[in-house]
Amino acid sequence: ARALEDEAIRLREELNSEKQKVLELKRAAHGRAAAWKEQLEHIKGELAAKSLMEKENERLTTELSQSRKDMTALRTEVERLRGEVQEARRRGGQRTEDMDILSNTMAGQLMAVEQELSAQTHRHNQLLELFLRHLQQPLAVVQQSCARIATHMALFGGDAFQELGAREVPPLCEASLGDLKSNLVKIVNLLRYAADVLEAQEQQAMPFKTKGRETAESIGSSGEEGPWSKNGWLRGVFS
């Protein structure tokens, strides 16, 4: 019986040992399965990355091929543009020379026109200054005569001519081109004044024209001198 118990104990220990080996084998198999699974996942990731890299490589290859085509077309265009630039430079040199000739011609013509214009302006200024100079004496006579007529009409013509007699006599123009506009205005003002005085004198003389002539004749026959006599100042103004 003792031997059987010992045998049973030995067998039980062997069984436990085998169970322990089975457990270790299971653990090892589980560990290997986990490692294999992890390695499989890693391999799957690498395969996915490789697939992406292949696709990216194909895309880059396609883009590189298209870039090479574009570069070839660009080189062709650059060569064409270089040829056009050289041709344009060649033509531009001729055009620049033509433009220089035209510019020099136009400059010469413009200078000639400016000189002619300057000469004409000088001649016109001389003519205007001469005109103003020779106009001084006749305008002075008109100014003085009209002033005397206006004063005489205001004294002997009645109230209708008082305003004309009190009117300021316009000044004479100056014999220079310093202020041409002012001189022309003075000439116009003096002529307007003379026209107003002569018109008023004509209106005054019309009703008494016949009587005035008879009076002048009688004064002349009597030897007396009046304003309408041969040596009278009114006859002298209009003679």
Side-chain angles (χ1 to χ4, degrees):
R2 182 69 180 174
L4 290 173
E5 288 180 359
D6 291 338
E7 184 66 20
I9 291 171
R10 185 182 63 78
L11 292 174
R12 190 176 292 111
E13 289 177 352
E14 289 180 357
L15 179 61
N16 290 333
S17 178
E18 291 297 330
K19 287 181 178 179
Q20 185 66 30
K21 290 180 179 180
V22 170
L23 288 174
E24 291 177 356
L25 290 173
K26 286 183 177 179
R27 288 174 182 172
H30 182 70
R32 286 194 297 272
W36 289 345
K37 184 177 181 181
E38 183 179 357
Q39 189 174 3
L40 183 61
E41 293 294 332
H42 181 68
I43 292 173
K44 287 182 179 179
E46 289 182 351
L47 290 174
K50 182 180 179 181
S51 178
L52 291 175
M53 290 180 64
E54 288 178 352
K55 291 181 180 178
E56 184 68 15
N57 187 30
E58 290 178 359
R59 186 182 66 80
L60 292 175
T61 302
T62 303
E63 290 182 357
L64 179 60
S65 177
Q66 183 64 35
S67 297
R68 287 176 178 173
K69 292 180 181 179
D70 294 341
M71 182 64 69
T72 302
L74 183 60
R75 287 176 180 173
T76 304
E77 183 68 15
V78 168
E79 292 299 327
R80 186 183 67 81
L81 291 176
R82 282 179 180 174
E84 291 183 356
V85 168
Q86 292 177 356
E87 181 65 19
R89 285 178 179 174
R90 185 182 64 81
R91 295 179 179 177
Q94 183 64 32
R95 290 180 180 176
T96 302
E97 184 178 356
D98 294 341
M99 288 299 294
D100 290 339
I101 295 174
L102 180 60
S103 177
N104 293 331
T105 303
M106 293 299 294
Q109 293 179 354
L110 180 60
M111 185 177 299
V113 170
E114 289 179 350
Q115 292 176 353
E116 179 64 22
L117 181 60
S118 177
Q120 290 183 1
T121 302
H122 182 67
R123 289 195 298 269
H124 291 167
N125 289 340
Q126 287 182 334
L127 182 62
L128 284 174
E129 187 172 1
L130 185 63
F131 170 75
L132 293 176
R133 189 177 304 164
H134 286 284
L135 199 62
Q136 289 290 302
Q137 195 272 336
L139 285 181
V141 173
V142 171
Q143 181 194 49
Q144 296 171 5
S145 298
C146 289
R148 289 197 300 268
I149 293 173
T151 302
H152 183 273
M153 291 174 62
L155 291 175
F156 303 103
D159 296 337
F161 301 99
Q162 293 301 317
E163 182 178 355
L164 183 63
R167 184 173 171 180
E168 183 180 358
V169 180
L172 290 173
C173 63
E174 298 177 1
S176 68
L177 297 178
D179 191 354
L180 180 60
K181 181 178 179 180
S182 176
N183 283 332
L184 293 178
V185 171
K186 289 178 180 179
I187 293 173
V188 171
N189 290 337
L190 183 56
L191 292 177
R192 285 178 177 172
Y193 173 76
D196 293 341
V197 171
L198 294 177
E199 184 180 7
Q201 194 276 335
E202 182 70 18
Q203 291 177 358
Q204 184 190 31
M206 284 298 294
F208 306 100
K209 188 175 182 180
T210 304
K211 183 178 179 180
R213 289 178 179 176
E214 294 176 352
T215 304
E217 291 175 357
S218 62
I219 292 176
S221 61
S222 61
E224 298 179 1
E225 294 186 355
W228 289 99
S229 64
K230 181 178 180 180
N231 297 323
W233 64 270
L234 283 178
R235 187 175 295 275
V237 169
F238 297 100
S239 61

